[in-house]
């Protein structure tokens, strides 16, 4: 125990000692387990930020880079496909993917995400984080490649429906990445830096969004001569843009498959204090127990009955209600605007008529500008402030400012555009900033901290799945309503609807706890009251 005492003394946490009778071996063993558990958790919570933490953030973050690249690349690819498969359409329908087809191609990933988030969230609690980490990335890699080679069948399915199938399955993999990456990062993080670590993983979405637009510009530039001569050469362009999404996933796959199980899962579900202590020693370099003693452990897997008994208490259920409703409300607006940013760009004059090359280039460039001005700064301001300001505070700020901005944009839409396009862009980019320095990040972080280890991944998956239901609602609503009264005529009313959802998110933020500065065990003290 010398190593344990030295380490805990350095961290300001006293090691646990129990006076036990050698005549009671069962009591001795229970006390040793308690002592090892305490010291293992102290080692994780109080460890200095080091290379393993950086590696964990990078491995999880690359997955989110890939996820966001795949999700937002379809926004550009769908535009490009219109020039290929509807080049000969008559009138205004020429060079444009029909609205309903566009809706289903974009919405396929969101539908798959709902299944993946719930399914992988449950499996990570039932089977363990390590056993399924990497499986979701394999699905993403295979389906991204499959989608990039989608083609028409001789009879029956069009290229769009083949792509829909691939992207639906892709969504299952992307959905699975949400709870598993969040929980692994949370359970390995130090208490002091946990918010920043999870936020940094999530912030990789910003790089993925920008990367999708940059890749589109580069590929378009490479095909400029060919596209100017024959716009059907754009068929190569969208496939290359989509297919390149596998590159970061391939880089991260090995590290995901070889990451150790989180000590918290090993302690609280597998009941193997010895292996948890060994994993802490391996990952953080701190010995917290004698690892030479081998013991037989019986895992205590979580059950739905146990889940029910825990959440039948309002004090526990209100947290789950808070995380699900706030994520749902946020995603209605987030995906309603971001997946259809080309509509906003057209409305503010950053995309319009011209050659296919010029239209697509301006759309991609406009996406980069909007994201660099609002989205990326929002993500990283959150990373550097969340452990100081707190999750709940940032979420309150975000929902409040978004409510105000969407009211201004929605009710003053035409007046602002007529007076100053630059003013409209400023307000829109401010909305992007406060989505990410606000509920888009915090709704991802809080469910990864606020629940007991036994249900943490399941609850994160449920919360994330509710968010994706919001994304699907947004897609259906935007596509069904945006042209009501004329092309893009209903956009002001849609933004007003988004403002209403921000109010809902603001109200339900009262249901979620502040998790700043507390260990995961402090936050889940109610676990002991689940019976």
């Amino acid at each position: 125990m010398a190593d344990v005492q030295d380490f805990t003394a350095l961290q300001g946490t006293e090691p646990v000692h129990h006076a036990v009778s050698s005549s009671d071996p069962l009591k001795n063993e229970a006390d040793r387990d308690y002592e090892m558990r305490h010291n293992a958790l102290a080692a994780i919570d109080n460890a200095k930020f080091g290379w393993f933490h950086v590696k964990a953030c990078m491995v999880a973050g690359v997955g989110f880079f890939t996820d966001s690249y795949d999700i937002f690349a379809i926004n550009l690819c769908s535009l490009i496909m219109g020039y290929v498969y509807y080049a000969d359409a008559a009138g205004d329908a020429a060079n444009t993917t029909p609205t309903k087809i566009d809706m289903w191609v974009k919405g396929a990933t969101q539908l798959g995400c709902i299944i993946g988030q719930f399914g992988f969230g449950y499996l990570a609690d039932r089977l363990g984080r390590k056993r399924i980490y990497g499986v979701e990335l394999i699905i993403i890699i295979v389906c991204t490649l499959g989608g990039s080679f989608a083609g028409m069948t001789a009879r029956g399915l069009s290229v769009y429906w083949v792509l829909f199938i691939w992207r639906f399955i892709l969504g299952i993999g992307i959905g699975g990445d949400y709870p598993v990456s969040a929980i692994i990062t949370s359970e390995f993080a130090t208490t002091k830096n946990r918010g920043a670590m999870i936020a940094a993983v999530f912030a990789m979405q910003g790089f993925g969004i920008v990367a999708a637009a940059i890749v589109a510009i580069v590929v378009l530039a490479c095909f400029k001569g060919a596209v100017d001569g024959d716009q059907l050469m754009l068929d190569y362009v969208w496939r290359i843009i989509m297919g390149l999404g596998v590159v970061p996933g391939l880089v991260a796959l090995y590290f995901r498959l070889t990451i150790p199980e989180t000590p918290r899962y090993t302690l609280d579900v597998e009941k193997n204090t010895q292996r948890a202590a060994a994993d802490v020693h391996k990952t953080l370099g701190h010995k917290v127990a004698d690892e030479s003693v081998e013991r037989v452990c019986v895992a205590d897997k979580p059950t739905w009955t146990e889940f029910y008994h825990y959440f039948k208490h309002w004090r526990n259920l209100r947290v789950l209600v808070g995380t699900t409703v706030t994520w749902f409300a946020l995603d209605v607006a987030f995906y309603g605007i971001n997946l259809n940013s080309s509509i906003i760009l057209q409305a503010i004059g950053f995309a319009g008529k011209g050659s296919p090359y010029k239209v697509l280039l301006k759309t991609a460039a406009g996406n980069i500008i909007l994201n660099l001005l609002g989205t990326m700064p929002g993500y990283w301001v959150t990373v550097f402030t969340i452990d100081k300001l707190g999750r709940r505070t940032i979420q309150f700020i975000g929902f409040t400012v978004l409510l105000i901005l969407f009211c201004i944009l929605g009710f003053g839409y035409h007046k602002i555009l007529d007076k100053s396009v630059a003013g409209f862009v400023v307000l829109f980019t401010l909305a992007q900033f406060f989505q990410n320095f606000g509920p888009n990040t915090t709704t991802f972080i809080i469910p990864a901290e606020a629940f007991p280890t036994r249900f943490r991944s399941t609850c994160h998956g449920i919360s994330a799945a509710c968010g994706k239901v919001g994304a699907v609602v947004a897609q259906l609503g935007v596509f069904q309503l945006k042209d009501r009264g004329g092309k893009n005529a209903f956009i002001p009313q849609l933004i007003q609807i988004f403002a209403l959802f921000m109010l809902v998110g603001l109200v339900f933020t009262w249901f979620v706890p502040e998790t700043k500065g507390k260990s995961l065990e402090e936050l889940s003290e109610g676990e002991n009251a689940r019976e």
Side-chain angles (χ1 to χ4, degrees), residues 59-133:
V59 171
V62 168
F64 271 86
F65 177 98
T66 305
D67 297 349
S68 63
Y69 181 101
D70 285 330
I71 289 176
F72 288 92
I74 193 61
N75 196 39
L76 298 169
C77 289
S78 182
L79 281 175
I80 297 171
M81 291 173 73
Y83 287 98
V84 176
Y85 299 103
Y86 288 89
D88 298 328
D92 292 339
N95 300 320
T96 304
T97 301
T99 299
K100 286 189 177 179
I101 294 177
D102 194 31
M103 175 183 71
W104 286 110
V105 170
K106 290 180 179 178
T109 309
Q110 312 305 331
L111 291 170
C113 276
I114 296 171
I115 297 171
Q117 286 163 336
F118 181 80
F120 275 85
Y122 168 73
L123 290 174
D125 279 340
R126 184 71 184 173
L127 303 179
R129 286 67 160 131
K130 174 180 172 56
R131 287 184 65 182
I132 64 171
Y133 202 42

Side-chain angles (χ1 to χ4, degrees), residues 6 20 149 201 218 271 319 337 381 447 521:
D6 291 343
V20 295
F149 286 101
V201 169
V218 171
K271 305 298 183 184
V319 179
I337 287 180
V381 169
E521 284 62 46

Side-chain angles (χ1 to χ4, degrees), residues 216-218 220-221 350 355-367:
I217 289 173
V218 171
L220 277 167
F350 221 95
S355 68
Y357 175 79
K358 288 182 178 180
V359 170
L360 295 169
L361 196 68
K362 285 185 72 176
T363 300
N367 274 283

Side-chain angles (χ1 to χ4, degrees), residues 259-418:
I259 199 168
E261 182 58 86
T262 69
R264 282 186 162 90
Y265 185 85
T266 306
L267 287 168
D268 294 340
V269 179
E270 295 183 344
K271 305 298 183 184
N272 192 335
T273 53
Q274 203 73 33
R275 186 157 70 83
D279 286 341
V280 170
H281 185 196
K282 178 181 176 182
T283 55
L284 299 177
H286 298 290
K287 189 174 182 180
V288 296
D290 179 4
E291 299 165 21
S292 62
V293 180
E294 293 187 7
R295 296 179 50 210
V296 177
C297 302
V298 179
D300 181 20
K301 301 289 186 180
T303 64
W304 286 113
T305 301
E306 186 182 11
F307 183 91
Y308 165 76
H309 282 297
Y310 179 78
F311 284 104
K312 73 180 180 182
H313 301 288
W314 173 243
R315 65 180 178 274
N316 300 324
L317 180 61
R318 73 190 296 272
V319 179
L320 186 59
V321 170
T323 59
T324 54
V325 175
T326 53
W327 205 334
F328 171 85
L330 178 277
D331 272 10
V332 170
F334 183 81
Y335 283 92
I337 287 180
N338 284 293
L339 271 178
N340 301 279
S341 57
S342 59
I343 296 171
I344 301 295
L345 291 170
Q346 287 172 4
I348 64 176
F350 221 95
K353 296 181 180 179
S355 68
Y357 175 79
K358 288 182 178 180
V359 170
L360 295 169
L361 196 68
K362 285 185 72 176
T363 300
N367 274 283
I368 292 175
I369 292 169
L370 289 178
N371 281 287
L372 289 179
L373 287 175
T375 301
M376 292 284 284
Y379 277 125
W380 289 98
V381 169
T382 304
V383 172
F384 292 112
T385 61
I386 193 163
D387 286 313
K388 295 183 178 74
L389 297 178
R391 291 69 155 147
R392 204 162 175 249
T393 301
I394 291 175
Q395 188 158 303
F396 271 126
I397 292 171
F399 272 128
T400 301
V401 175
L402 287 170
L403 172 61
I404 295 168
L405 288 173
F406 285 147
C407 283
I408 294 171
L409 285 169
F411 290 101
Y413 184 86
H414 294 294
K415 290 180 181 178
I416 296 170
L417 274 178
D418 292 341

Side-chain angles (χ1 to χ4, degrees), residues 5-227:
Q5 294 176 32
D6 291 343
F7 172 69
T8 51
L10 284 172
Q11 301 302 329
T13 304
E14 292 296 327
V16 176
H17 296 288
H18 294 279
V20 295
S21 170
S22 59
S23 62
D24 190 348
L26 290 178
K27 187 180 180 189
N28 282 344
E29 186 173 290
D31 286 335
R32 280 197 301 270
D33 283 349
Y34 179 85
E35 185 174 349
M36 280 192 289
R37 183 181 191 279
H38 176 275
N39 293 328
L41 293 175
I44 298 168
D45 289 338
N46 302 311
K48 291 182 179 179
F49 188 80
W51 168 242
F52 176 77
H53 299 105
V54 174
K55 180 182 173 183
C57 288
M58 290 173 63
V59 171
V62 168
F64 271 86
F65 177 98
T66 305
D67 297 349
S68 63
Y69 181 101
D70 285 330
I71 289 176
F72 288 92
I74 193 61
N75 196 39
L76 298 169
C77 289
S78 182
L79 281 175
I80 297 171
M81 291 173 73
Y83 287 98
V84 176
Y85 299 103
Y86 288 89
D88 298 328
D92 292 339
N95 300 320
T96 304
T97 301
T99 299
K100 286 189 177 179
I101 294 177
D102 194 31
M103 175 183 71
W104 286 110
V105 170
K106 290 180 179 178
T109 309
Q110 312 305 331
L111 291 170
C113 276
I114 296 171
I115 297 171
Q117 286 163 336
F118 181 80
F120 275 85
Y122 168 73
L123 290 174
D125 279 340
R126 184 71 184 173
L127 303 179
R129 286 67 160 131
K130 174 180 172 56
R131 287 184 65 182
I132 64 171
Y133 202 42
V135 174
E136 78 295 335
L137 195 55
I138 293 172
I139 294 173
I140 292 169
I141 291 169
V142 171
C143 292
T144 299
L145 282 175
S148 66
F149 286 101
M152 292 188 179
T153 57
R155 290 182 177 83
L157 296 177
S158 70
V159 64
Y160 285 101
W161 284 109
V162 174
L163 185 59
F164 172 89
I165 294 168
W166 280 115
R167 292 196 65 82
F168 176 78
I169 304 171
L170 169 71
I172 295 175
I174 291 176
D177 202 26
Y178 274 68
V180 186
S181 287
I183 299 310
I184 284 179
T185 306
S186 175
E187 292 180 352
F188 272 122
T190 67
T191 301
K192 180 180 178 182
N193 300 310
R194 189 176 62 236
M197 284 181 64
I198 305 173
V201 169
F202 196 63
M204 292 301 292
Q205 280 195 335
F207 288 113
I209 296 167
V210 173
I214 291 174
V215 168
I217 289 173
V218 171
V219 176
L220 277 167
C222 292
F223 278 81
K224 182 179 185 303
V227 170

